[in-house]
Each structure stands twice: as C-alpha cells, then as structure tokens.
Amino acid sequence: MSRSSWIVLAAAVLFAVVILASARSERTHERHTLGWLGVCVAIAALAIWRPGIDVLAQAMGIYYPPSALFFLCSAALLIMVYRLSVGLAQERERVRKLAQEIALLSVTRPDQPDQP
Amino acid sequence: MFRPVDQPRTLAVLLALDEEACIARTVREVRAALPGADVLVVDDGSADGTAREARSAGALVARHPINLGVSAAEATGLAYAHRHGYGAVVRMDGDGQHDPAFARALLDAVQDGADLVVGTRFSELRSFEPGSLRRAGNAFLAAVVSTLCRQKVTDPTSGFRAFGRRCAAFFAGVHPHDYPEPESLLMAHRHGFTIREVPVRMRPRTTGRSSLTPGRSAYYMMKTSLALTLELLRAR
C-alpha cells in the first residue's frame, strides 16, 4: 500500500474510534453511530483496495475516477445534511410544544407571586 | 364578575416580549375596555419583569420558558382559551399598538357569527401610517390573500384579531411558523371559517422595538409567499 493509503486508513480508524467513544459516553445515538461507522468502513475499504475507485467509476460510466468519488461524497453529504435539517425541524417542533405546555400548566393569577 | 348568561366568556390575549415598560398600562386599558373579560398575557420568554408587571395590573400570565415567536405565543393563548372553555378570544399586542377601544367591535363581529375577525388599519379610520415599504408589501400580500381566499382582505398582516370558539380551538392545535398572520387567513378560509374585517385604529409603539426591519421585511415577503403556496398544496 502507498503512503497516502496508510494515511487515509489511519484517518478512518481514528474517526471510528472517535465515533465509538462518543457513542460510549452517550453523546450520540446508536442510530447515527451505525451510519457513521459505515462511512468509516467505506473509507477504509477504498484506502486498502485502491482499484475499487476505478471499478466504481466504470460502473457509473464516469471517465475520471476521482470525479466518481467526489460525486459519491457530495451525494452522501447532501443526504446527511438534509436528514439533519428535517430532524432539527422535528426537534424544534417538540421543544415548542413542550415549552407551550409548561406555559399553560404554570399560568399564574394576578394575586400569585412571581415564579423563578 | 357578573355576566349575562347568553354572552360567551371572553379572553383577551396580549402577546408580550420584553414589554415591562408598557404592559401594565396595556392590561389596564384592555380591562377597562372589556369589563368582564379575562386578560391573559403570554410572555414569550421575556428577560425583564413583563410577567410581574402584567400580574400587578390584574392579568393572568402564561410564560414561555424560552422565546418561541409570535405564532407560538398566539397558539398558547388560544390553547388556554380552548382548555378553559372561553367562547371568544381577542388577540392583541402587549405594546399597546392595538387600540383596546376597538376590541369590542371585533368581539361583536364574532358574536354575529364570524369565526375569525381581523382588525384592519386600511379603512376610513385614520391610523398611524406604517412606512411606504411596509405599505407596498402589505398591498402585495393583501392582493395575494384576497385572491386565494376569494374575498377582499385589506390588512392580512394585522395581528389585532378575534376568534370564535371553533376557530380558536383550530388554531390552538395547528398554526403556521414564524409570522403567522397572512398564512392563517388562508388556512381559516380553507377550513371553512368565515373571515370578516373590522376597521380599527392602530397607534405607533411608544416603547420597545419592532421585530421587522426593512431587510427582514423583504425576506418575510418571500417566505410568506412560499408559505401561502405550500398551504395551497396541503391536504385539508
């Protein structure tokens, strides 16, 4: 393997360790952990098996192999960011409902003292 | 307090964000204009003493623990009305821009059978004049909303509104994001609620700041147009 392959492989392993560490300390959800580990495996696989990029490019009908890689990366990022944006909107909605419920449950009357 | 049996219980909802300086006066004005009505101030996460001042003036206070925006604040007020069985709700701004003297006229229109009553600035009554940019924006939105609702709407961005029981219950559950006014008119129309406009006078704000700057107004127009289009594409 070339030096660049080793560097990419090391980066993939490091990324996987970081992901597992954050999952262990419950900073990320299992659902997301699995997806991110999948990304690590894909990066590692392409680092070890370089011709895989050429095979992919050929299968996609792309003449210049790195373009195929860029395309796949951007597509994956686009999907992940979109899912995040949807998830964020859902969370926002849930936070809003919770805050409204708190407000409705703790309505104070004119004779009541101020609440913290 | 004594109330004739045939008159529905009325709730005045005042939306406030950091209105410590003027909320008490607004509450007192509303209480004087609508004797017998309960006044609920929805404090949308104020950092100042808005809640304390509102209570001292005799209002009920619902406090959002975090700032949620005008639309959510309105929905909180309507949800309170719905849960406590109020028959009519008038919604006004806490800064006193909406002249409480006209609240009765809005509620009378609800009593006459309208589900959603909008206080319009653009009538024979002389009001505080908003800037020309906002006037143009309003005219554009008015044309769009009038076409979509198949009835003349002159002031689609007015937040001075009254809701009948069914309409309050509806908007307590479903409501638009961010700045809700034009979109909620279309929603009301599509769900078969009768909409009526009543002339009101609005006053310039004395304290605080407007949430709409010119830059944001342009963005607001685009977002509202998109929201109106999306509302048309939604299943009823």
Side-chain angles (χ1 to χ4, degrees):
Chain A
M1 287 210 307
S2 69
R3 195 198 295 177
S4 65
S5 291
W6 281 110
I7 293 172
V8 173
L9 186 62
V13 171
L14 187 70
F15 192 29
V17 169
V18 170
I19 290 161
L20 286 172
S22 71
R24 184 173 159 271
S25 57
E26 295 182 350
R27 271 180 294 146
T28 49
H29 203 278
E30 281 85 358
R31 200 171 15 168
H32 300 135
T33 307
L34 212 59
W36 285 114
L37 284 177
V39 171
C40 292
V41 169
I43 293 171
L46 286 177
I48 296 166
W49 183 47
R50 271 288 187 74
I53 299 169
D54 302 318
V55 175
L56 268 176
Q58 208 161 27
M60 292 167 70
I62 294 172
Y63 174 72
Y64 183 58
S67 290
L69 201 60
F70 284 130
F71 172 77
L72 288 176
C73 287
S74 346
L77 285 173
L78 202 68
I79 291 167
M80 283 190 308
V81 171
Y82 176 71
R83 285 189 49 180
L84 268 180
S85 145
V86 169
L88 198 65
Q90 279 171 346
E91 290 311 310
R92 209 187 147 104
E93 204 56 19
R94 289 151 62 108
V95 168
R96 180 184 63 76
K97 283 205 175 112
L98 263 175
Q100 284 183 302
E101 198 57 45
I102 290 171
L104 287 167
L105 289 175
S106 58
V107 167
T108 45
R109 309 203 71 85
D111 47 8
Q112 278 177 307
D114 209 2
Q115 284 187 343
Chain B
M1 200 175 283
F2 172 75
R3 186 179 62 246
V5 190
D6 59 328
Q7 267 206 338
R9 283 170 72 214
T10 302
L11 181 70
V13 173
L14 299 181
L15 310 186
L17 173 60
D18 295 332
E19 310 278 12
E20 184 186 60
C22 57
I23 191 68
R25 196 184 61 213
T26 310
V27 169
R28 278 193 276 272
E29 278 187 353
V30 173
R31 289 182 69 200
L34 299 172
D38 290 336
V39 179
L40 172 75
V41 170
V42 180
D43 176 1
D44 193 17
S46 296
D48 64 3
T50 298
R52 186 191 62 237
E53 288 299 312
R55 258 196 309 273
S56 75
L60 296 158
V61 175
R63 266 184 109 166
H64 287 167
I66 47 176
N67 179 254
L68 297 177
V70 179
S71 181
E74 178 180 296
T76 299
L78 294 174
Y80 183 85
H82 176 53
R83 289 186 192 185
H84 293 84
Y86 287 93
V89 182
V90 60
R91 178 274 220 211
M92 304 162 72
D93 284 353
D95 59 12
Q97 279 197 89
H98 299 154
D99 189 340
F102 293 87
R104 176 51 62 199
L106 266 68
L107 289 165
D108 284 347
V110 168
Q111 188 85 314
D112 288 346
D115 295 307
L116 177 61
V117 182
V118 181
T120 174
R121 281 165 282 185
F122 305 110
S123 62
E124 65 276 16
L125 284 174
R126 270 187 57 81
S127 266
F128 142 69
E129 301 274 320
S132 59
L133 190 68
R134 276 175 82 167
R135 250 190 116 86
N138 198 81
F140 168 74
L141 280 181
V144 173
V145 173
S146 298
T147 309
L148 296 178
C149 292
R150 295 196 195 93
Q151 77 176 83
K152 194 168 183 298
V153 176
T154 57
D155 197 357
T157 59
S158 165
F160 194 177
R161 297 180 168 196
F163 301 76
R165 184 192 297 273
R166 278 192 322 121
C167 198
F170 175 75
F171 281 111
V174 192
H175 65 90
H177 303 131
D178 304 328
Y179 299 103
E181 288 86 6
E183 208 186 332
S184 61
L185 278 172
L186 181 57
M187 284 168 83
H189 167 74
R190 278 166 51 87
H191 286 82
F193 293 116
T194 51
I195 303 166
R196 194 181 305 168
E197 282 195 328
V198 166
V200 295
R201 187 178 295 131
M202 291 198 197
R203 309 182 285 202
R205 61 168 60 234
T206 49
T207 56
R209 63 203 148 70
S210 167
S211 55
L212 276 178
T213 61
R216 270 195 222 165
S217 296
Y219 174 63
Y220 165 73
M221 298 291 298
M222 286 193 286
K223 204 158 82 170
T224 303
S225 303
L226 174 67
L228 288 169
T229 314
L230 290 175
E231 171 58 25
L232 281 179
L233 298 173
R234 250 169 231 144
R236 238 170 284 205

